[in-house]
Amino acid sequence: MTKKIEEFEITNISDLWSMLVASGPKGSTVKFAKKNGADRLMRCTLDFKFIPEKFHPKGEIDPKAPELSNVINVFDLDIVGWRSISFNRAEWIQLSDGKIMKINPGG
């Protein structure tokens, strides 16, 4: 079965960050290529209501940091730990409502 990707494209990392902050209890699924080239699907969130407190960062989170590094740190809900996604290798995000949006870093 082919997934239907919405017409709207995410072209900057700030929009992806915002969607992950609002992802809710089920999180969002992001498809991206790992450093070794393998495809990966990750169910993740940045909504701290759904991240166990023992995993909360000790200091402040700088929302501009992903823009500088082009990497977004997310909480993997299946592995139960922090992981990172390179925005340039991200392909799409499936939101908790089922919508899938293409990620186009060069857009």
XYZ file of all heavy atoms in Angstrom:
849
model
N 0.837 -1.183 0.000
C 0.000 0.000 0.000
C 0.883 1.247 0.000
O 1.796 1.373 0.797
C -0.898 -0.015 1.238
C -1.840 1.160 1.292
S -3.072 0.989 2.582
C -2.256 1.804 3.915
N 0.621 2.153 -0.889
C 1.366 3.395 -0.992
C 0.735 4.432 -0.086
O -0.477 4.590 -0.054
C 1.347 3.903 -2.444
O 1.848 2.881 -3.282
C 2.178 5.145 -2.594
N 1.571 5.161 0.659
C 1.071 6.209 1.529
C 0.802 7.465 0.712
O 1.567 7.806 -0.173
C 2.087 6.523 2.620
C 2.287 5.383 3.591
C 3.177 5.830 4.718
C 3.365 4.739 5.729
N 2.247 4.505 6.576
N -0.329 8.124 0.997
C -0.660 9.362 0.306
C 0.015 10.513 1.045
O -0.198 10.732 2.227
C -2.169 9.590 0.288
C -2.547 10.871 -0.441
C -4.037 11.116 -0.365
C -4.456 12.341 -1.124
N -3.864 13.583 -0.700
N 0.866 11.228 0.339
C 1.569 12.365 0.918
C 0.812 13.637 0.560
O 0.448 13.852 -0.590
C 3.032 12.412 0.424
C 3.756 11.151 0.902
C 3.731 13.668 0.918
C 5.193 11.044 0.459
N 0.548 14.450 1.569
C -0.189 15.704 1.381
C 0.612 16.659 0.491
O 1.825 16.557 0.377
C -0.449 16.377 2.732
C -1.259 15.537 3.704
C -2.691 15.334 3.272
O -3.315 16.266 2.740
O -3.202 14.223 3.474
N -0.072 17.594 -0.104
C 0.555 18.571 -0.986
C 1.500 19.507 -0.227
O 2.501 19.937 -0.748
C -0.516 19.399 -1.705
C -1.347 18.592 -2.687
C -0.527 18.040 -3.835
O 0.335 18.758 -4.369
O -0.743 16.869 -4.185
N 1.168 19.799 1.018
C 1.979 20.717 1.812
C 3.344 20.103 2.088
O 3.451 18.936 2.446
C 1.265 21.026 3.134
C 2.047 21.909 4.048
C 2.132 23.278 3.805
C 2.701 21.390 5.149
C 2.845 24.097 4.656
C 3.420 22.206 6.004
C 3.490 23.564 5.754
N 4.399 20.870 1.899
C 5.753 20.400 2.167
C 6.340 21.158 3.343
O 6.098 22.352 3.506
C 6.665 20.632 0.954
C 6.388 19.737 -0.202
C 7.417 19.919 -1.315
O 8.216 20.880 -1.275
O 7.414 19.086 -2.222
N 7.115 20.458 4.127
C 7.873 21.090 5.204
C 9.231 21.444 4.610
O 9.955 20.559 4.147
C 8.028 20.129 6.391
C 6.656 19.767 6.947
C 8.920 20.747 7.463
C 6.681 18.620 7.919
N 9.550 22.728 4.597
C 10.792 23.164 3.962
C 11.811 23.725 4.950
O 12.912 24.078 4.548
C 10.515 24.217 2.875
O 9.828 25.315 3.474
C 9.684 23.630 1.747
N 11.434 23.828 6.231
C 12.424 24.290 7.206
C 12.291 23.505 8.503
O 11.228 23.000 8.850
C 12.346 25.814 7.424
C 11.069 26.236 8.090
O 10.835 25.905 9.243
N 10.230 26.972 7.372
N 13.392 23.415 9.195
C 13.476 22.576 10.386
C 12.593 23.111 11.519
O 12.112 22.348 12.349
C 14.950 22.397 10.810
C 15.104 21.153 11.697
C 15.500 23.648 11.433
C 16.536 20.693 11.873
N 12.338 24.409 11.535
C 11.479 24.991 12.583
C 10.049 24.455 12.492
O 9.409 24.219 13.515
C 11.454 26.518 12.476
O 12.737 27.030 12.692
N 9.552 24.269 11.269
C 8.212 23.714 11.103
C 8.159 22.263 11.575
O 7.190 21.841 12.206
C 7.761 23.794 9.644
C 7.461 25.222 9.207
O 7.282 26.094 10.081
O 7.425 25.459 7.986
N 9.207 21.492 11.278
C 9.263 20.109 11.750
C 9.301 20.081 13.274
O 8.591 19.308 13.912
C 10.479 19.394 11.162
C 10.661 17.927 11.574
C 9.452 17.081 11.184
C 11.941 17.352 10.959
N 10.105 20.944 13.871
C 10.203 21.058 15.331
C 8.811 21.315 15.917
O 8.388 20.644 16.856
C 11.165 22.199 15.674
C 11.229 22.598 17.121
C 10.324 23.346 17.798
C 12.243 22.268 18.055
N 10.721 23.515 19.103
C 11.892 22.866 19.284
C 13.426 21.547 17.973
C 12.679 22.750 20.423
C 14.208 21.440 19.112
C 13.832 22.035 20.315
N 8.090 22.289 15.357
C 6.758 22.648 15.867
C 5.791 21.471 15.783
O 4.997 21.245 16.694
C 6.193 23.830 15.089
O 6.997 24.961 15.272
N 5.844 20.727 14.694
C 4.952 19.572 14.543
C 5.269 18.488 15.563
O 4.362 17.837 16.087
C 5.038 19.025 13.125
C 4.387 19.940 12.137
S 4.567 19.318 10.479
C 3.843 20.658 9.590
N 6.535 18.301 15.868
C 6.913 17.287 16.848
C 6.570 17.718 18.270
O 6.228 16.890 19.102
C 8.401 16.953 16.720
C 8.745 16.171 15.451
C 10.245 16.171 15.211
C 8.205 14.750 15.525
N 6.614 19.018 18.544
C 6.218 19.520 19.866
C 4.721 19.289 20.083
O 4.280 18.980 21.181
C 6.577 21.018 20.023
C 5.900 21.630 21.232
C 8.087 21.185 20.105
N 3.933 19.357 19.005
C 2.481 19.202 19.092
C 2.017 17.799 18.702
O 0.850 17.602 18.375
C 1.816 20.235 18.185
N 2.894 16.819 18.782
C 2.577 15.488 18.239
C 1.635 14.643 19.091
O 1.115 13.653 18.606
C 3.862 14.718 17.950
O 4.589 14.510 19.131
N 1.420 15.004 20.339
C 0.463 14.270 21.163
C 0.995 12.941 21.678
O 2.152 12.593 21.469
N 0.139 12.165 22.359
C 0.590 10.947 23.043
C 1.101 9.842 22.121
O 1.929 9.038 22.521
C -0.644 10.479 23.814
C -1.801 11.124 23.137
C -1.286 12.402 22.547
N 0.630 9.800 20.881
C 1.092 8.761 19.951
C 2.361 9.173 19.216
O 2.991 8.356 18.561
C 0.002 8.440 18.931
C -1.212 7.783 19.540
C -2.225 7.467 18.466
C -3.471 6.847 19.069
N -4.476 6.575 18.045
N 2.713 10.442 19.295
C 3.869 10.941 18.578
C 3.605 11.030 17.090
O 2.483 10.867 16.621
N 4.645 11.297 16.347
C 4.598 11.344 14.890
C 5.649 10.381 14.367
O 6.643 10.121 15.036
C 4.917 12.758 14.384
O 3.925 13.669 14.801
N 5.434 9.860 13.171
C 6.415 8.963 12.563
C 7.174 9.727 11.496
O 6.572 10.363 10.638
C 5.721 7.734 11.945
O 5.021 7.044 12.985
C 6.734 6.799 11.309
N 8.498 9.663 11.581
C 9.354 10.331 10.605
C 10.128 9.262 9.842
O 10.674 8.332 10.433
C 10.334 11.309 11.285
C 11.249 11.969 10.260
C 9.585 12.360 12.083
N 10.148 9.389 8.510
C 10.980 8.513 7.683
C 12.200 9.304 7.256
O 12.082 10.433 6.757
C 10.238 8.021 6.446
C 11.112 7.086 5.610
C 10.421 6.581 4.368
C 11.365 5.645 3.612
N 10.835 5.296 2.302
N 13.377 8.702 7.463
C 14.626 9.372 7.099
C 15.681 8.323 6.788
O 15.508 7.131 7.073
C 15.090 10.294 8.233
C 15.403 9.578 9.524
C 16.710 9.250 9.851
C 14.397 9.233 10.407
C 17.000 8.591 11.034
C 14.677 8.575 11.595
C 15.981 8.250 11.909
N 16.771 8.767 6.189
C 17.899 7.879 5.905
C 18.924 8.041 7.020
O 19.311 9.162 7.363
C 18.518 8.226 4.560
N 19.350 6.914 7.580
C 20.388 6.938 8.600
C 21.724 7.277 7.947
O 21.841 7.282 6.725
C 20.464 5.577 9.292
C 19.211 5.263 10.099
C 19.143 3.855 10.609
C 20.380 3.330 11.273
N 20.204 2.036 11.936
N 22.748 7.534 8.756
C 24.071 7.867 8.224
C 24.596 6.788 7.279
O 25.275 7.075 6.304
C 25.075 8.074 9.352
C 24.957 9.396 10.035
C 26.048 9.567 11.059
C 25.917 10.893 11.767
N 26.942 11.095 12.776
N 24.257 5.522 7.576
C 24.747 4.420 6.737
C 23.906 4.226 5.473
O 24.146 3.308 4.702
C 24.815 3.116 7.537
C 23.455 2.583 7.956
O 22.411 3.108 7.549
N 23.455 1.565 8.776
N 22.890 5.086 5.278
C 22.057 5.028 4.081
C 20.788 4.207 4.234
O 19.906 4.264 3.378
N 20.672 3.437 5.303
C 19.478 2.620 5.535
C 18.282 3.507 5.886
O 18.427 4.497 6.608
C 19.729 1.617 6.654
N 17.114 3.156 5.361
C 15.891 3.886 5.709
C 15.464 3.520 7.121
O 15.631 2.388 7.566
C 14.755 3.541 4.744
C 14.914 4.234 3.403
O 15.673 5.214 3.315
O 14.267 3.795 2.438
N 14.889 4.503 7.822
C 14.431 4.279 9.194
C 13.118 4.982 9.390
O 12.932 6.119 8.942
C 15.484 4.821 10.165
C 15.038 4.976 11.601
C 15.625 3.895 12.476
N 15.843 4.256 13.862
C 14.914 4.364 14.806
N 13.643 4.215 14.506
N 15.235 4.629 16.051
N 12.193 4.319 10.053
C 10.952 4.934 10.516
C 11.072 5.073 12.025
O 11.426 4.110 12.710
C 9.741 4.058 10.186
C 9.404 3.876 8.715
C 8.253 2.879 8.561
C 9.030 5.198 8.079
N 10.788 6.263 12.535
C 10.880 6.483 13.971
C 9.613 7.178 14.453
O 9.223 8.214 13.927
C 12.093 7.347 14.315
C 12.264 7.511 15.804
S 13.623 8.589 16.386
C 14.712 8.771 15.047
N 8.981 6.583 15.466
C 7.829 7.205 16.133
C 8.405 8.056 17.254
O 8.999 7.525 18.197
C 6.886 6.131 16.656
C 5.532 6.670 17.083
C 4.573 5.543 17.395
N 5.030 4.734 18.509
C 4.687 4.955 19.785
N 3.877 5.933 20.090
N 5.151 4.163 20.734
N 8.257 9.372 17.133
C 8.951 10.256 18.054
C 8.104 11.473 18.418
O 7.066 11.724 17.823
C 10.278 10.694 17.448
S 10.144 11.425 15.802
N 8.603 12.217 19.409
C 7.904 13.412 19.879
C 8.893 14.400 20.474
O 10.028 14.038 20.809
C 6.838 13.050 20.933
O 6.048 14.211 21.215
C 7.444 12.536 22.222
N 8.447 15.626 20.613
C 9.127 16.639 21.412
C 8.140 17.226 22.426
O 8.404 18.267 23.010
C 9.694 17.749 20.518
C 10.964 17.373 19.766
C 11.353 18.466 18.777
C 12.108 17.112 20.734
N 7.016 16.558 22.613
C 5.997 16.983 23.577
C 6.368 16.403 24.931
O 6.231 15.201 25.175
C 4.620 16.489 23.132
C 3.498 17.052 23.974
O 3.751 17.425 25.146
O 2.371 17.124 23.467
N 6.875 17.250 25.830
C 7.403 16.780 27.107
C 6.354 16.161 28.027
O 6.699 15.471 28.977
C 8.166 17.910 27.807
C 9.537 18.080 27.236
C 9.760 18.906 26.155
C 10.606 17.368 27.756
C 11.011 19.029 25.599
C 11.867 17.485 27.221
C 12.076 18.316 26.130
N 5.078 16.353 27.732
C 4.037 15.686 28.526
C 4.089 14.172 28.314
O 3.607 13.413 29.140
C 2.645 16.205 28.143
C 2.403 17.651 28.537
C 1.004 18.080 28.158
C 0.914 18.145 26.661
N -0.112 18.968 26.090
N 4.684 13.732 27.204
C 4.705 12.315 26.859
C 6.118 11.729 26.859
O 6.333 10.624 26.388
C 4.014 12.098 25.511
C 2.638 12.706 25.516
C 2.366 13.866 24.818
C 1.624 12.138 26.268
C 1.105 14.444 24.854
C 0.361 12.712 26.316
C 0.097 13.868 25.611
N 7.051 12.485 27.422
C 8.426 12.010 27.603
C 8.618 11.802 29.097
O 8.372 12.721 29.886
C 9.443 13.044 27.065
C 9.236 13.250 25.559
C 10.872 12.606 27.373
C 10.060 14.378 24.968
N 9.022 10.594 29.517
C 9.219 10.360 30.950
C 10.151 11.411 31.561
O 11.163 11.795 30.953
C 9.853 8.966 31.003
C 9.430 8.305 29.725
C 9.344 9.412 28.708
N 9.792 11.876 32.757
C 10.529 12.971 33.394
C 12.018 12.670 33.542
O 12.855 13.562 33.407
C 9.917 13.294 34.759
C 10.439 14.582 35.327
C 9.673 15.063 36.535
O 8.468 14.783 36.627
O 10.304 15.714 37.383
N 12.373 11.416 33.783
C 13.800 11.098 33.952
C 14.608 11.349 32.674
O 15.828 11.419 32.715
C 13.989 9.662 34.434
C 13.674 8.597 33.415
C 13.916 7.218 34.005
C 13.687 6.137 32.974
N 13.984 4.819 33.513
N 13.911 11.518 31.535
C 14.575 11.796 30.267
C 14.540 13.275 29.890
O 15.056 13.660 28.845
C 13.954 10.972 29.130
C 14.243 9.511 29.234
C 13.270 8.643 29.705
C 15.475 9.005 28.880
C 13.520 7.285 29.802
C 15.743 7.653 28.981
C 14.765 6.789 29.443
N 13.900 14.114 30.722
C 13.855 15.536 30.415
C 15.262 16.117 30.503
O 16.027 15.754 31.402
C 12.942 16.276 31.393
C 11.492 16.019 31.152
N 10.517 16.808 31.694
C 10.841 15.078 30.437
C 9.324 16.361 31.321
N 9.501 15.298 30.558
N 15.617 17.027 29.591
C 16.939 17.666 29.658
C 17.106 18.434 30.963
O 16.133 18.935 31.523
C 16.931 18.623 28.463
C 15.852 18.133 27.566
C 14.849 17.466 28.440
N 18.320 18.511 31.420
C 18.602 19.195 32.689
C 18.545 20.715 32.556
O 18.196 21.409 33.479
C 19.987 18.797 33.209
C 20.152 17.311 33.409
C 19.284 16.795 34.531
C 19.561 15.329 34.782
N 18.443 14.455 34.564
N 18.896 21.236 31.395
C 18.910 22.685 31.201
C 17.850 23.130 30.216
O 16.926 22.397 29.877
N 18.009 24.343 29.759
C 17.102 24.924 28.772
C 17.299 24.269 27.410
O 18.399 23.862 27.064
C 17.378 26.422 28.633
C 17.034 27.236 29.862
C 15.558 27.496 29.990
O 14.893 27.754 28.971
O 15.062 27.432 31.123
N 16.229 24.228 26.626
C 16.312 23.749 25.248
C 16.287 24.976 24.348
O 15.392 25.807 24.452
C 15.133 22.820 24.909
C 15.225 21.566 25.755
C 15.126 22.482 23.426
C 14.082 20.622 25.544
N 17.269 25.068 23.487
C 17.351 26.193 22.555
C 16.646 25.813 21.262
O 17.151 25.001 20.494
C 18.817 26.534 22.282
C 18.975 27.717 21.347
O 17.950 28.292 20.906
O 20.123 28.065 21.045
N 15.460 26.366 21.001
C 14.732 26.007 19.774
C 15.451 26.421 18.494
O 15.128 25.949 17.422
C 13.385 26.711 19.914
C 13.558 27.717 20.974
C 14.726 27.304 21.815
N 16.447 27.297 18.588
C 17.201 27.699 17.398
C 18.355 26.734 17.099
O 18.914 26.766 16.012
C 17.739 29.111 17.566
C 16.637 30.155 17.617
C 17.210 31.536 17.435
C 16.194 32.609 17.610
N 15.121 32.659 16.702
N 18.701 25.865 18.033
C 19.823 24.943 17.839
C 19.667 24.069 16.590
O 20.632 23.906 15.847
C 20.032 24.087 19.082
N 18.479 23.510 16.317
C 18.353 22.705 15.094
C 18.634 23.490 13.818
O 19.192 22.946 12.866
C 16.899 22.220 15.128
C 16.514 22.278 16.558
C 17.277 23.451 17.122
N 18.271 24.774 13.800
C 18.526 25.587 12.609
C 20.017 25.743 12.354
O 20.467 25.769 11.214
C 17.877 26.968 12.761
C 16.375 26.929 12.762
C 15.755 28.287 13.042
O 16.440 29.308 12.869
O 14.591 28.317 13.430
N 20.785 25.813 13.425
C 22.230 25.996 13.288
C 22.929 24.703 12.865
O 23.871 24.732 12.087
C 22.816 26.506 14.612
C 22.259 27.845 15.107
C 22.794 28.155 16.495
C 22.597 28.961 14.130
N 22.460 23.575 13.370
C 23.135 22.301 13.103
C 22.461 21.476 12.012
O 23.037 20.517 11.522
C 23.188 21.475 14.383
O 21.885 21.097 14.776
N 21.222 21.813 11.669
C 20.413 21.054 10.712
C 20.094 19.647 11.218
O 19.784 18.748 10.452
C 21.067 21.011 9.334
C 20.047 21.205 8.236
O 19.035 21.862 8.441
N 20.295 20.631 7.090
N 20.211 19.472 12.534
C 19.895 18.198 13.189
C 18.873 18.483 14.270
O 18.978 19.466 15.003
C 21.157 17.560 13.805
C 20.814 16.344 14.640
C 22.150 17.195 12.709
N 17.873 17.622 14.361
C 16.848 17.778 15.389
C 16.900 16.575 16.315
O 16.946 15.433 15.864
C 15.454 17.973 14.741
C 14.421 18.381 15.769
C 15.020 16.774 13.957
C 13.154 18.940 15.137
N 17.006 16.838 17.610
C 16.984 15.773 18.612
C 15.542 15.505 18.983
O 14.790 16.437 19.289
C 17.795 16.168 19.845
C 19.259 16.282 19.528
O 19.811 15.444 18.832
N 19.897 17.323 20.017
N 15.161 14.233 18.939
C 13.780 13.828 19.216
C 13.780 12.678 20.204
O 14.780 11.974 20.357
C 13.048 13.408 17.919
C 12.962 14.567 16.947
C 13.729 12.227 17.258
N 12.648 12.482 20.857
C 12.517 11.364 21.777
C 11.827 10.220 21.051
O 10.689 10.357 20.592
C 11.724 11.766 23.022
C 11.792 10.728 24.101
C 12.910 10.629 24.910
C 10.758 9.830 24.275
C 12.990 9.652 25.891
C 10.824 8.854 25.247
C 11.934 8.770 26.056
N 12.533 9.096 20.909
C 12.003 7.899 20.246
C 11.082 7.183 21.232
O 11.528 6.717 22.289
C 13.164 7.002 19.822
C 12.731 5.807 18.997
O 11.701 5.180 19.345
O 13.434 5.474 18.030
N 9.802 7.119 20.913
C 8.811 6.542 21.820
C 8.878 5.015 21.887
O 8.379 4.422 22.838
C 7.406 6.990 21.408
C 7.150 8.480 21.605
C 5.909 8.917 20.842
C 7.022 8.814 23.083
N 9.478 4.375 20.890
C 9.572 2.914 20.899
C 10.846 2.436 21.598
O 10.814 1.497 22.383
C 9.493 2.369 19.470
C 8.149 2.688 18.830
O 7.120 2.604 19.541
O 8.122 3.035 17.643
N 11.957 3.094 21.336
C 13.218 2.741 21.992
C 13.286 3.356 23.386
O 14.023 2.896 24.244
C 14.416 3.176 21.116
C 14.435 2.336 19.838
C 15.730 3.072 21.850
C 15.501 2.719 18.846
N 12.508 4.404 23.619
C 12.459 5.155 24.870
C 13.834 5.774 25.153
O 14.518 5.449 26.117
C 11.972 4.298 26.071
C 11.754 5.169 27.300
C 10.694 3.553 25.717
N 14.210 6.665 24.251
C 15.470 7.374 24.399
C 15.596 8.455 23.344
O 14.818 8.523 22.395
N 16.590 9.303 23.532
C 16.824 10.406 22.606
C 17.587 9.925 21.384
O 18.513 9.131 21.491
C 17.596 11.529 23.305
C 16.740 12.246 24.293
C 16.670 12.017 25.635
C 15.799 13.277 24.011
N 15.739 12.860 26.206
C 15.193 13.633 25.237
C 15.397 13.930 22.850
C 14.223 14.632 25.319
C 14.432 14.917 22.935
C 13.850 15.263 24.160
N 17.192 10.403 20.221
C 17.835 10.111 18.947
C 17.899 11.409 18.149
O 17.228 12.386 18.486
C 17.044 9.059 18.140
C 16.906 7.716 18.825
C 18.254 7.006 18.866
N 18.192 5.685 19.455
C 18.400 5.408 20.727
N 18.663 6.369 21.583
N 18.357 4.164 21.166
N 18.667 11.420 17.096
C 18.747 12.621 16.262
C 18.407 12.281 14.818
O 18.614 11.156 14.357
C 20.133 13.264 16.356
O 21.119 12.369 15.912
N 17.865 13.281 14.137
C 17.497 13.162 12.728
C 18.143 14.329 11.993
O 17.975 15.490 12.377
C 15.961 13.239 12.536
C 15.265 12.100 13.259
C 15.602 13.256 11.055
C 13.743 12.247 13.286
N 18.863 14.018 10.917
C 19.392 15.067 10.059
C 18.249 15.540 9.157
O 17.641 14.741 8.447
C 20.540 14.523 9.203
O 20.892 15.472 8.219
N 17.966 16.820 9.209
C 16.863 17.370 8.415
C 17.085 17.114 6.924
O 16.148 16.853 6.182
C 16.715 18.866 8.706
C 15.519 19.491 8.060
C 14.230 19.078 8.374
C 15.676 20.507 7.135
C 13.114 19.660 7.781
C 14.574 21.101 6.539
C 13.293 20.673 6.867
N 18.328 17.146 6.476
C 18.630 16.932 5.054
C 18.344 15.504 4.597
O 18.220 15.266 3.401
C 20.097 17.260 4.760
C 20.367 18.737 4.859
O 19.483 19.557 4.650
N 21.578 19.087 5.209
N 18.258 14.555 5.531
C 17.999 13.168 5.155
C 16.578 12.720 5.499
O 16.233 11.559 5.342
C 19.021 12.242 5.829
C 20.430 12.458 5.284
C 21.386 11.362 5.689
N 21.491 11.161 7.119
C 22.434 11.683 7.884
N 23.364 12.448 7.363
N 22.462 11.438 9.178
N 15.745 13.656 5.965
C 14.355 13.336 6.293
C 13.513 13.330 5.022
O 13.705 14.151 4.130
C 13.804 14.342 7.292
N 12.582 12.366 4.930
C 11.747 12.235 3.729
C 10.313 12.677 3.961
O 9.755 13.427 3.171
C 11.768 10.773 3.261
C 11.096 10.565 1.939
C 11.217 9.123 1.456
O 12.261 8.502 1.655
O 10.225 8.625 0.886
N 9.682 12.186 5.038
C 8.308 12.590 5.340
C 8.014 12.395 6.823
O 8.751 11.723 7.538
C 7.267 11.861 4.499
C 7.327 10.348 4.440
C 7.830 9.603 3.417
C 6.844 9.398 5.401
N 7.706 8.256 3.690
C 7.091 8.107 4.909
C 6.230 9.513 6.646
C 6.757 6.948 5.609
C 5.899 8.358 7.349
C 6.159 7.100 6.821
N 6.919 13.036 7.257
C 6.424 12.890 8.626
C 4.953 12.525 8.553
O 4.208 13.084 7.744
C 6.636 14.180 9.464
C 6.138 13.989 10.908
C 5.969 15.375 8.811
C 6.492 15.141 11.843
N 4.553 11.538 9.362
C 3.141 11.200 9.497
C 2.693 11.713 10.856
O 3.210 11.287 11.899
C 2.906 9.700 9.388
C 1.432 9.352 9.466
C 1.150 7.891 9.153
O 2.038 7.057 9.162
N -0.097 7.604 8.883
N 1.750 12.632 10.835
C 1.247 13.234 12.061
C 0.303 12.275 12.773
O -0.157 11.285 12.200
C 0.552 14.553 11.733
C 1.403 15.551 10.943
C 0.569 16.761 10.554
C 2.630 15.950 11.724
N -0.011 12.580 14.019
C -0.867 11.689 14.806
C -2.274 11.573 14.222
O -2.967 10.592 14.477
C -0.925 12.155 16.260
O -1.364 13.495 16.338
N -2.688 12.546 13.399
C -4.015 12.458 12.771
C -3.981 11.653 11.467
O -4.981 11.533 10.777
C -4.601 13.849 12.518
C -3.817 14.674 11.508
O -2.832 14.149 10.926
O -4.172 15.841 11.304
N -2.808 11.107 11.106
C -2.675 10.274 9.917
C -2.157 10.998 8.682
O -1.758 10.364 7.722
N -2.174 12.340 8.688
C -1.677 13.089 7.537
C -0.177 12.864 7.382
O 0.564 12.835 8.357
C -1.924 14.580 7.703
C -3.353 14.989 7.514
C -3.478 16.488 7.620
C -4.944 16.880 7.562
N -5.133 18.278 7.921
N 0.251 12.735 6.127
C 1.666 12.574 5.824
C 2.115 13.773 5.010
O 1.486 14.127 4.012
C 1.917 11.273 5.032
C 1.483 10.079 5.871
C 3.387 11.164 4.632
C 1.526 8.765 5.121
N 3.186 14.393 5.448
C 3.713 15.559 4.752
C 5.145 15.315 4.331
O 5.957 14.822 5.109
C 3.655 16.781 5.662
C 2.238 17.179 5.969
S 2.256 18.737 6.856
C 0.809 18.506 7.852
N 5.433 15.670 3.096
C 6.784 15.531 2.553
C 7.705 16.542 3.222
O 7.310 17.671 3.490
C 6.743 15.769 1.040
C 8.076 15.667 0.345
C 7.892 15.901 -1.147
C 9.187 16.037 -1.878
N 10.011 14.900 -1.984
N 8.922 16.124 3.479
C 9.940 17.030 4.008
C 10.895 17.334 2.863
O 11.460 16.425 2.251
C 10.681 16.401 5.200
C 9.681 16.129 6.338
C 11.820 17.302 5.660
C 10.240 15.341 7.489
N 11.039 18.624 2.541
C 11.847 19.057 1.412
C 12.818 20.126 1.898
O 12.548 21.316 1.781
C 10.956 19.580 0.284
C 11.739 19.961 -0.934
O 12.952 19.760 -1.005
N 11.051 20.524 -1.910
N 13.975 19.715 2.446
C 14.933 20.687 2.990
C 15.414 21.699 1.967
O 15.765 22.817 2.334
C 16.099 19.833 3.482
C 15.558 18.459 3.583
C 14.442 18.350 2.587
N 15.439 21.353 0.722
C 15.916 22.269 -0.309
C 14.837 23.171 -0.866
O 15.081 23.987 -1.740
N 13.600 22.997 -0.354
C 12.451 23.722 -0.905
C 12.485 25.129 -0.592
O 12.229 26.092 -1.045
